[in-house]
Amino acid sequence: MKSNSQYSTTLLKAFDILESFRNDSHELGVSDIALKVNLPVSSTHRIIQSLEFEGLLLQNPENKKYRLGTKFLSLAGKCQCYQKYFDIATTLVNELGQLTCETVNLAISSCDSTIHILRTESPHILRPTFPMNMPFPAYCTAVGRIFLSELSEAGQRWVYANNADEIDMTEEQFLQMLSEVSRCGYALDDESFSAGLRCVATPVRLSNGRAI
């Protein structure tokens, strides 16, 4: 992550570290984690110690590697409201898949990435297969552009600066594209993420209008 006064770089790196684990049985050493999040080992170790103190990471005393901690059990238990949304969305995602005969994904936002948490598969032989619960860059996916369009201009500029080498447009073109997404209420990905893949995305909103 690049430094920006609007965001805490250390906090964002802490979330990057947590995202490094595939599940709660996956173990990683400090050096492996440092490589994944592009930080010096010493800096990575300091953040890991804080996450361990909070119960978000646990160290295996036998091999000194880390895994996700039990604190996540408590955090998950606080998300009953979102579970209701998820149950409703599951029904609607399945109905949309049957109606369109296309793959339908439900995703959430994570910084400048998106994470697919639910999918109904297309009946076609050739179809996209994204790993579930893994981050994908938001700037080049339809669903990611939905979330980015909800950010402040400062946040959008931060995303551009953080991914400028991969985004195939100028900053102003990028901002204009997100403005158009916000105006239209949907986003398109015409082979931006992968050759031969075209996607359309629209937000699922809370009663206050916030996209979730």
Side-chain angles (χ1 to χ4, degrees):
M1 301 292 178
K2 296 184 178 179
S3 178
N4 185 290
S5 59
Q6 187 180 19
Y7 304 112
S8 168
T9 303
T10 301
L11 181 59
L12 292 176
K13 278 298 184 183
F15 281 110
D16 282 346
I17 288 173
L18 296 175
E19 292 279 5
S20 299
F21 296 87
R22 294 192 300 270
N23 51 51
D24 59 358
S25 63
H26 183 210
E27 293 187 340
L28 290 169
V30 176
S31 297
D32 297 326
I33 297 172
L35 185 62
K36 285 178 175 290
V37 301
N38 193 30
L39 271 181
V41 171
S42 57
S43 300
T44 303
H45 190 244
R46 285 196 298 271
I47 299 175
I48 286 174
Q49 286 182 314
S50 297
L51 293 172
E52 184 181 19
F53 180 71
E54 281 290 334
L56 293 169
L57 288 179
L58 290 175
Q59 186 181 45
N60 184 333
E62 295 183 359
N63 58 20
K64 305 302 181 183
K65 292 185 177 182
Y66 291 86
R67 65 195 303 175
L68 295 177
T70 53
K71 183 69 172 289
F72 283 99
L73 292 171
S74 171
L75 295 175
K78 297 179 179 181
C79 293
Q80 296 179 7
C81 178
Y82 288 117
Q83 183 61 49
K84 295 177 183 177
Y85 281 103
F86 185 81
D87 293 341
I88 295 170
T90 299
T91 299
L92 296 176
V93 164
N94 290 334
E95 288 180 359
L96 186 57
Q98 293 173 2
L99 178 67
T100 62
C101 293
E102 296 290 352
T103 298
V104 180
N105 292 291
L106 182 69
I108 58 174
S109 175
S110 177
C111 191
D112 54 352
S113 302
T114 59
I115 299 173
H116 292 168
I117 60 173
L118 178 66
R119 174 191 304 126
T120 181
E121 295 286 4
S122 163
H124 302 306
I125 295 176
L126 296 178
R127 57 185 184 268
T129 54
F130 302 112
M132 303 294 286
N133 300 307
M134 294 292 290
F136 290 94
Y139 63 85
C140 63
T141 63
V143 67
R145 291 170 177 176
I146 287 290
F147 288 120
L148 296 183
S149 72
E150 302 268 323
L151 295 177
S152 65
E153 183 176 320
Q156 293 172 353
R157 290 186 185 276
W158 179 89
V159 171
Y160 183 87
N162 200 51
N163 300 276
D165 293 341
E166 289 79 33
I167 298 177
D168 189 24
M169 61 183 79
T170 67
E171 183 179 58
E172 293 310 310
Q173 288 172 331
F174 181 69
L175 295 177
Q176 179 59 40
M177 180 266 292
L178 296 180
S179 176
E180 184 71 7
V181 169
S182 180
R183 185 185 68 81
C184 294
Y186 65 89
L188 299 175
D189 161 20
D190 189 1
E191 300 188 276
S192 300
F193 179 68
S194 179
L197 179 65
R198 294 179 173 87
C199 301
V200 60
T202 191
V204 177
R205 298 188 182 276
L206 292 167
S207 58
N208 62 9
R210 180 69 181 238
I212 57 169

